[in-house]
Amino acid sequence: MNQSERLSFHADCPSRLLLDEVADKWSILVLAALQHGPMRFNQLLHAIDGISKKSLSVVLRRLERNGIVSRDVLKLRPIAVAYCITPLGWTLVEPFAALYDWTQRHLDEVDRARQQFDQQGGHSLSPNANL
Amino acid sequence: MNQSERLSFHADCPSRLLLDEVADKWSILVLAALQHGPMRFNQLLHAIDGISKKSLSVVLRRLERNGIVSRDVLKLRPIAVAYCITPLGWTLVEPFAALYDWTQRHLDEVDRARQQFDQQGGHSLSPNANL
DNA sequence: CAGTATCCTCTGAGATACTG
DNA sequence: CAGTATCTCAGAGGATACTG
């Protein structure tokens, strides 16, 4: 049994499929926003700069289906809906936060790496260097 | 300063842009594969089931540019290249592993949530229920 | 072996308009 | 307010062929 066999990640592995659903930018940002308390749809829409109604809708439903967030309809007029993190969702907050923290803590180091790569003619791809 | 102002994630925030580059499935799987030692291009290609040459090439270059992995050309004939995780990359391994572990540990719980959601006519989207 | 270049397809995501 | 439906388009990604 060689290394590449040991390490083979099969495409239909259930946890890989879940990883696919869960490891995306919008999910991380939605969870980050909901950490501080329940939020309404339009609140999220404005808090997460750059997301569209449609994308937010899709992400929220995926998170809801996977049991990460709950959707609570408040019986008001006009209708109001509050999204909040479920107990299962809270177990995901920490890994997500760790990832988000990483981007903030290592931004400088990554920037230096990029400059170095771009100067030393990083092969050919993406001629316009900086992010 | 209300909640949605405090929580506003601006689209051009540098760490959000980095999150975008870093929080993707292939990057996670590449790092997971390289954890156990350097690997060659074709080794990675076969270890990560379902990835194409092109996608692997793109992901590796992005990881290289961001200083996460290094590309070491071994002067052999025929040419050989070893990819391995840089010191900076190792700081990212832990958050990634945490995420991957999460998918494995909570798979059952997620499955139950899905079944419940799909039974209780989860609104309308995706009529064919199961993943 | 380790890629790059090209082609081509097909989905993802934005904008807009509409509904309860 | 909280979405859904529809349209459209750019770009992600696979397959293939080619190069050093």
Side-chain angles (χ1 to χ4, degrees):
Chain A
M1 188 171 176
N2 65 34
Q3 185 175 341
S4 68
E5 279 173 56
R6 261 197 301 111
L7 290 174
S8 184
F9 302 106
H10 294 290
D12 53 355
C13 164
S15 62
R16 246 196 64 175
L17 293 172
L18 181 53
L19 189 65
D20 235 336
E21 293 218 349
V22 137
D24 85 294
K25 183 186 63 167
W26 293 138
S27 296
I28 294 177
L29 291 172
V30 167
L31 268 266
L34 291 178
Q35 269 185 69
H36 304 280
M39 291 181 79
R40 314 258 291 270
F41 186 87
N42 281 315
Q43 256 183 309
L44 285 167
L45 192 62
H46 293 111
I48 303 172
D49 188 41
I51 198 171
S52 69
K53 276 183 150 191
K54 180 178 172 181
S55 299
L56 181 58
S57 182
V58 170
V59 174
L60 282 174
R61 189 152 22 237
R62 189 168 59 222
L63 289 172
E64 190 193 353
R65 185 168 110 91
N66 289 336
I68 311 296
V69 307
S70 67
R71 177 179 180 276
D72 303 316
V73 179
L74 311 173
K75 296 195 177 303
L76 300 173
R77 293 204 29 137
I79 192 173
V81 176
Y83 289 93
C84 58
I85 304 178
T86 63
L88 175 56
W90 279 108
T91 67
L92 186 55
V93 166
E94 196 174 350
F96 273 8
L99 201 54
Y100 197 80
D101 285 352
W102 184 91
T103 65
Q104 299 188 286
R105 270 205 295 275
H106 297 278
L107 200 55
D108 290 350
E109 212 170 337
V110 169
D111 264 335
R112 282 194 292 277
R114 284 175 179 171
Q115 284 175 23
Q116 192 176 337
F117 182 87
D118 293 338
Q119 278 174 13
Q120 302 179 3
H123 311 318
S124 66
L125 204 67
S126 77
N128 37 3
N130 295 316
L131 180 63
Chain B
M1 188 172 173
N2 66 33
Q3 184 176 340
S4 67
E5 279 173 56
R6 261 197 302 111
L7 290 172
S8 184
F9 302 106
H10 295 289
D12 53 355
C13 163
S15 63
R16 246 196 63 175
L17 294 171
L18 181 53
L19 188 66
D20 234 336
E21 294 218 350
V22 137
D24 85 294
K25 184 184 63 166
W26 293 139
S27 295
I28 294 176
L29 291 172
V30 168
L31 267 265
L34 291 180
Q35 269 185 69
H36 304 280
M39 290 180 80
R40 314 259 291 270
F41 187 87
N42 281 316
Q43 256 184 308
L44 285 167
L45 192 62
H46 293 111
I48 303 172
D49 189 41
I51 199 170
S52 68
K53 275 183 151 192
K54 181 178 172 180
S55 299
L56 180 58
S57 182
V58 170
V59 175
L60 282 174
R61 191 157 24 240
R62 189 168 59 223
L63 290 172
E64 189 193 354
R65 185 168 110 92
N66 289 336
I68 310 297
V69 307
S70 65
R71 177 179 180 276
D72 303 316
V73 180
L74 312 174
K75 295 194 178 303
L76 300 173
R77 293 204 30 135
I79 192 173
V81 176
Y83 289 93
C84 58
I85 304 178
T86 64
L88 175 57
W90 279 108
T91 68
L92 185 55
V93 165
E94 197 175 349
F96 273 9
L99 201 54
Y100 197 81
D101 285 352
W102 184 92
T103 64
Q104 299 187 286
R105 270 205 296 275
H106 297 278
L107 199 56
D108 291 349
E109 212 170 336
V110 169
D111 264 335
R112 283 194 293 277
R114 284 175 179 170
Q115 284 175 23
Q116 192 176 336
F117 182 88
D118 294 338
Q119 278 173 13
Q120 302 178 3
H123 311 318
S124 66
L125 204 67
S126 77
N128 38 3
N130 295 317
L131 181 64

